[in-house]
Amino acid sequence: GGQAKFRPQEDDLNSVSQLFGYVSATGPGGPLQTAFNNLVFNGTYPDPATGFLAPFTVVRFTKDHRQPYGIQNSVSLEFEPVKDVVLNVSYLRTHGVHLGSFFNINQPSPTGQVLVHDSKGDAGFKNTFWVPSPPAPAPNAIPGAANPNFFNFFEADSRWYSEFDGLLINLNKRLTHHVGYGVSYTWSKSLDDGPNPSFVLIPQDSGNFGAEKALSADHVAHRFVANAIFEGPTKKNVIINNWQFSTIVSLESPHYFTKFTGFDANGDGFPLNDRVGVEPRDTFKGDSYQSVDLRVSRTFKVTERFALQGLAESFNTLNTVNIRFFNTVYGAPDFIPVGTPGTGLEGSPNPSYGTPRAVFNPRQIQFALRLTW
């Protein structure tokens, strides 16, 4: 949509919370970092020469907020190629409409543009919102605001959407002759424009929602899951009777994450959603996921009525390190040529860029006894 109009306190649904936030200039080593250091080391905050305190309204609902809904289409073919084996091939498309999220309605009209790049080296212009100099004492010194009496003013609206297309193939064999198995493969593509009530997903340019369209943070192109179960005989002999072994193998292609500057690069007073250069959302390729789970059990007949089952289970049996989230704070407003002295991955000056921030569970083993009657 077009540039949002600032309508302070217009709505009847005013569930308004106010915090006080410090507004200052951009960049590592800039006034914002200086003010933070003064708070930590000197106990003074803010520095009146480089910033000001202003009300920070967390959220307000728009009057014409619409009810979200989804549109789903699917087609499926299922048949039995051989006895006890069922093959299902399905195509699924879903479309989320009027999804809810936030955007900054206090972002002013652009006051300038900067020539920056994406990670492939292609150049493009990016809007900036700094208060022009003059009246600002220097360029890129004071973040702009449609209403300077407020820091950021977020409005909850229902203008976001999502798309999912998926091909699902499932092959299942019923448990017969002591063996059963299932194999599932999914190819999919998920697109959205950030319909998630998270500050890091707020559009960085409130007048250009179209620039937010990208792969979804939930996008997984390929997912493969296989399971199998093997049952021993029940009346063979005391050593091999009533054993059961099962396993699940899970494989997923990587998720994608957004490359952030880590500070207010466009001068709108909000530092959490600024992307590097003209890079789209969700272009940092994460890690694939691999896991093997095992289960072994045996049932002992205690009496005609009572049975005791012993179980041993392991999850992520191979103890694969599966990275869940990465540090994607690049640390610069534009991409720096790879190999530049003092930089690391993709030319980032941040040594932590691209490093793991959270991992999935390591190997877990558990034992249990189950008494049934």
Side-chain angles (χ1 to χ4, degrees), residues 84 158 247 256 273 288 316 340:
D84 298 324
S158 52
T247 182
Y256 288 81
N273 65 340
S288 59
N316 190 11
T340 300

Side-chain angles (χ1 to χ4, degrees), residues 258-275:
T258 299
K259 302 173 184 179
F260 294 106
T261 62
F263 52 86
D264 183 17
N266 64 356
D268 67 350
F270 189 66
L272 301 183
N273 65 340
D274 292 62
R275 299 193 293 270

Side-chain angles (χ1 to χ4, degrees), residues 45 61 71 109 193 223 306 328 355:
Y45 184 76
F61 280 87
I71 303 171
S109 299
D193 52 3
R223 180 182 286 114
F306 291 91
T328 57
T355 59

Side-chain angles (χ1 to χ4, degrees), residues 114-344:
V114 291
L115 181 65
V116 287
H117 305 80
D118 62 19
S119 56
K120 299 177 182 178
D122 297 326
F125 287 97
K126 184 175 184 176
N127 288 335
T128 59
F129 307 94
W130 301 101
V131 174
S133 173
N140 301 349
I142 300 179
N147 185 334
N149 295 318
F150 293 88
F151 179 35
N152 293 119
F153 203 120
F154 297 115
E155 184 167 81
D157 208 337
S158 52
R159 59 174 68 188
W160 285 262
Y161 86 105
S162 66
E163 297 176 0
F164 172 86
D165 290 276
L167 175 67
L168 298 81
I169 303 174
N170 293 282
L171 180 69
N172 291 285
K173 178 188 179 299
R174 287 186 286 272
L175 181 61
T176 56
H177 305 292
H178 307 289
V179 177
Y181 59 82
V183 178
S184 175
Y185 168 75
T186 302
W187 171 89
S188 65
K189 186 174 184 180
S190 301
L191 297 171
D192 62 38
D193 52 3
N196 189 315
S198 168
F199 284 138
V200 297
L201 292 180
I202 290 172
Q204 67 172 353
D205 189 337
S206 296
N208 187 11
F209 274 43
E212 302 301 307
K213 181 178 179 179
L215 286 176
S216 169
D218 299 319
H219 169 73
V220 177
H222 305 281
R223 180 182 286 114
F224 175 86
V225 178
N227 66 83
I229 183 169
F230 304 91
E231 283 192 343
T234 57
K235 298 178 180 179
K236 193 76 172 178
N237 61 58
V238 70
I239 297 177
I240 64 173
N241 281 350
N242 301 315
W243 282 96
Q244 188 179 81
F245 172 80
S246 58
T247 182
I248 300 175
V249 177
S250 302
L251 305 173
E252 287 185 7
S253 59
H255 286 254
Y256 288 81
F257 306 90
T258 299
K259 302 173 184 179
F260 294 106
T261 62
F263 52 86
D264 183 17
N266 64 356
D268 67 350
F270 189 66
L272 301 183
N273 65 340
D274 292 62
R275 299 193 293 270
V276 184
V278 286
E279 189 78 352
R281 295 172 45 243
D282 296 329
T283 58
F284 182 95
K285 187 176 181 179
D287 192 25
S288 59
Y289 178 88
Q290 304 131 38
S291 181
V292 178
D293 302 334
L294 299 176
R295 176 179 177 178
V296 179
S297 66
R298 189 180 187 188
T299 303
F300 301 90
K301 199 71 174 177
V302 180
T303 67
E304 189 67 27
R305 182 180 178 186
F306 291 91
L308 184 66
Q309 185 182 45
L311 302 97
E313 297 177 313
S314 67
F315 305 95
N316 190 11
T317 306
L318 302 181
N319 206 28
T320 304
V321 178
N322 292 305
I323 301 173
R324 188 171 187 175
F325 298 117
F326 289 82
N327 182 340
T328 57
V329 175
Y330 189 82
D334 196 9
F335 288 98
I336 300 171
V338 175
T340 300
T343 64

